[in-house]
Amino acid sequence: QGQLVESGGGLVQPGESLRLSCVASGNIFNINVMGWYRQAPGKQRELVARIFNVGTKNYADFVKGRFTISRENAENTVYLQMNSLKPEDTAVYYCNAVSYGMEYWGKGTLVTVSS
């Protein structure tokens, strides 16, 4: 059974940075796309950024210029560098991976941006 494990969340002040990591393990191979989604209290889960195995990246408009997604294919790892964080970025961030048509989700890591 494959699984995704996130790390790197925490409490930061507005304007600060965090780096999230997600490692895929178990029976997850040849991952086509890995990404990050987030869900704030009372809101639906939304795409933050995703990266395909060929290197193509997609970003939500609300993070363009502030967040950067990267990936190490050999390590089945994806990162999300988050700069210039805002209070509205507060959410649980979930890692997502798609492999052979199967979709996997991590349990999430909480990011809180508050002064």
Side-chain angles (χ1 to χ4, degrees):
Q1 188 74 14
Q3 64 175 351
L4 303 177
V5 179
E6 306 103 332
S7 61
L11 172 63
V12 296
Q13 295 188 348
E16 294 186 339
S17 300
L18 276 177
R19 188 190 195 210
L20 305 183
S21 301
C22 171
V23 179
S25 62
N27 295 324
I28 305 179
F29 304 101
N30 294 323
I31 299 173
N32 179 40
V33 56
M34 296 188 80
W36 291 94
Y37 289 70
R38 73 184 187 185
Q39 188 167 19
K43 295 187 177 181
Q44 290 188 332
R45 191 172 298 188
E46 59 186 357
L47 173 68
V48 176
R50 61 184 177 182
I51 181 168
F52 292 83
N53 56 359
V54 295
T56 304
K57 302 176 184 180
N58 299 138
Y59 292 97
D61 287 342
F62 53 78
V63 302
K64 284 182 179 178
R66 299 189 297 125
F67 292 9
T68 302
I69 191 169
S70 60
R71 178 175 172 178
E72 291 184 14
N73 289 334
E75 301 296 328
N76 277 351
T77 302
V78 65
Y79 304 98
L80 186 68
Q81 177 66 42
M82 305 186 294
N83 298 330
S84 302
L85 283 161
K86 304 176 181 179
E88 51 264 44
D89 294 319
T90 295
V92 177
Y93 284 70
Y94 296 92
C95 181
N96 172 272
V98 178
S99 171
Y100 293 116
M102 294 287 293
E103 190 170 31
Y104 301 87
W105 290 95
K107 293 182 178 180
T109 184
L110 177 62
V111 173
T112 304
V113 185
S114 175
S115 55

